[in-house]
Amino acid sequence: MQQQPISSLLAVVTGANKGIGLETVRQLAVQGVTVILTARDKKRGNDAVSSLQLSNVLFHQLDVRDAHSAAALADFILRKFGKLDILVNNAGASGVVVDVAGLRALNVEPESWLSGKATNLVQGVIQQNYENAVTCLDTNYYGCKRVTEALLPLLKLSSFGAKIVNVSSLRSEIKRIPGEKIRAEVADIGNLSEELIEDVLQRFLEDLKNGNLEAGGWPMMLPSYSMSKVALNAYTRVLAKRHQGMCINCVHPGFVKTDINWNTGVMATEDGAKGPVMLALLPPGGPSGRYFDQTTMAEF
Ligand SMILES: NC(=O)c1ccc[n+]([C@@H]2O[C@H](COP(=O)([O-])OP(=O)(O)OC[C@H]3O[C@@H](n4cnc5c(N)ncnc54)[C@H](OP(=O)(O)O)[C@@H]3O)[C@@H](O)[C@H]2O)c1
């Protein structure tokens, strides 16, 4: 597979009206890639495009929870460009209801967030309800799958060797799941499939509904967010096995100050976008089916 000139590449970034997604668009576009900045809200998306002032960035609406919206985007790309080279699945939802003032008052150290030590401390100010868990899984896992499936026929037409970057989280790391049986299931690359991933998610929702999260061995720090990203990583591995000519990876962008973590993060979006951008521009034959902590390959 030949290395293509960067100016011939076309990328889609989901959830790109702000935060890490917007910065990923900017960094790709500054390097010469034509980027379709997508957002579920037309005004927020168009305002974001205007803020960049880059002629190689255009807007298209995309709500990752809506299959019609994904199909309309695929149709637009087919008619206007006839192929797609890079897909960055970045859109994400936290899945919890937060008492933001209460959270700020706790003054949680970044180190406690990252290590998980803050799990008990934040239980009083971060509520996991069923409805938000469904939204979270439908955005972070099923949304990524929906958009990827709609755009795969176009990615297969890339002569660059398509790249898919799934923006994950360190909450996805298998060692963070308390339940041994769940850890073994999602780590078993030989047996991973979408059916298995979705069975795990259904059992998670069932235990959440019945108040059995802790007894069931599920993560108690941001439960649905954590499980959505566990599922996203597992899906990344399934996809990478299936599409050997592509580079399909997932990445923890770092603890970045954005709305999704109520601005408790410590890194700037400029640094948070570095991992996704590096993986979007991997040379043909680069790593695939791997998890990165920012720009470094790490253990799932
Ligand atoms: N910040 C961190 O420290 C951190 C750490 C680990 C992982 N991540 C991951 O990084 C990614 C980007 O998050 P961020 O930190 O940049 O947070 P953010 O600023 O809150 O951005 C989240 C983006 O996702 C969009 N979105 C949510 N639901 C959507 C839907 N149904 N369809 C389309 N777009 C949707 C939001 O759009 P609206 O404006 O319309 O809501 C927004 O543009 C997420 O996947 C997140 O899980 C972030």
Side-chain angles (χ1 to χ4, degrees), residues 15 17-20 40 44 62-65 90-92 139 167-169 225 229 252-256 258-261:
N17 52 291
K18 63 180 180 179
I20 296 164
R40 58 180 159 179
R44 287 198 288 272
L62 174 65
D63 182 339
V64 304
R65 300 192 64 195
N90 165 80
T139 306
V167 182
S168 185
S169 163
Y225 183 78
K229 299 294 191 179
H252 166 56
F255 190 32
V256 183
T258 65
D259 290 344
I260 208 166
N261 55 28

Side-chain angles (χ1 to χ4, degrees), residues 233-254:
N233 285 15
Y235 179 59
T236 304
R237 300 176 96 177
V238 170
L239 269 186
K241 240 171 135 178
R242 194 176 294 154
H243 302 286
Q244 306 254 335
M246 302 185 188
C247 294
I248 304 175
N249 294 293
C250 48
V251 57
H252 166 56

Side-chain angles (χ1 to χ4, degrees), residues 9-262:
L9 301 180
L10 178 69
V12 164
V13 183
T14 72
N17 52 291
K18 63 180 180 179
I20 296 164
L22 176 59
E23 179 58 21
T24 300
V25 170
R26 194 189 67 77
Q27 291 184 19
L28 287 172
V30 163
Q31 294 192 58
V33 178
T34 300
V35 189
I36 306 177
L37 180 159
T38 69
R40 58 180 159 179
D41 181 272
K42 281 186 184 162
K43 179 168 180 345
R44 287 198 288 272
N46 277 314
D47 286 352
V49 170
S50 304
S51 76
L52 291 174
Q53 298 195 308
L54 292 166
S55 60
N56 53 341
V57 177
L58 60 153
F59 172 69
H60 199 280
Q61 194 271 347
L62 174 65
D63 182 339
V64 304
R65 300 192 64 195
D66 177 358
H68 296 295
S69 168
L73 173 64
D75 187 52
F76 166 77
I77 298 172
L78 180 64
R79 282 185 288 106
K80 193 167 168 69
F81 298 98
K83 58 103 193 196
L84 177 65
D85 303 293
I86 298 164
L87 169 61
V88 182
N89 285 306
N90 165 80
S94 71
V96 286
V97 183
V98 174
D99 164 7
V100 179
L103 180 64
R104 284 198 200 300
L106 288 176
N107 215 1
V108 181
E109 290 289 327
E111 182 41 45
S112 306
W113 272 120
L114 301 181
S115 65
K117 275 192 199 138
T119 307
N120 290 335
L121 186 65
V122 299
Q123 293 303 318
V125 293
I126 299 184
Q127 305 297 328
Q128 174 69 82
N129 67 33
Y130 186 82
E131 194 188 337
N132 283 341
V134 170
T135 300
C136 179
L137 299 183
D138 195 53
T139 306
N140 300 1
Y141 166 70
Y142 293 101
C144 165
K145 182 175 157 181
R146 204 172 276 129
V147 173
T148 303
E149 284 177 355
L151 299 183
L152 260 170
L154 291 154
L155 288 160
K156 286 182 184 162
L157 297 174
S158 168
S159 47
F160 167 65
K163 312 287 179 281
I164 301 177
V165 183
N166 293 331
V167 182
S168 185
S169 163
L170 89 180
R171 300 278 161 232
S172 70
E173 291 168 2
I174 293 171
K175 63 175 183 277
R176 294 174 188 269
I177 304 171
E180 193 181 335
K181 178 171 172 277
I182 306 166
R183 280 203 306 275
E185 272 181 299
V186 295
D188 183 1
I189 175 78
N191 264 327
L192 276 183
S193 65
E194 281 133 293
E195 292 71 30
L196 184 140
I197 296 167
E198 289 159 27
D199 181 61
V200 170
L201 293 180
Q202 282 313 312
R203 279 166 22 217
F204 165 77
L205 284 177
E206 202 56 30
D207 275 351
L208 171 61
K209 196 189 279 171
N210 297 324
N212 286 338
L213 280 190
E214 195 160 9
W218 305 102
M220 296 307 288
M221 173 65 106
L222 304 172
S224 63
Y225 183 78
S226 296
M227 287 314 299
S228 73
K229 299 294 191 179
V230 167
L232 180 64
N233 285 15
Y235 179 59
T236 304
R237 300 176 96 177
V238 170
L239 269 186
K241 240 171 135 178
R242 194 176 294 154
H243 302 286
Q244 306 254 335
M246 302 185 188
C247 294
I248 304 175
N249 294 293
C250 48
V251 57
H252 166 56
F255 190 32
V256 183
K257 189 173 166 68
T258 65
D259 290 344
I260 208 166
N261 55 28
W262 315 281

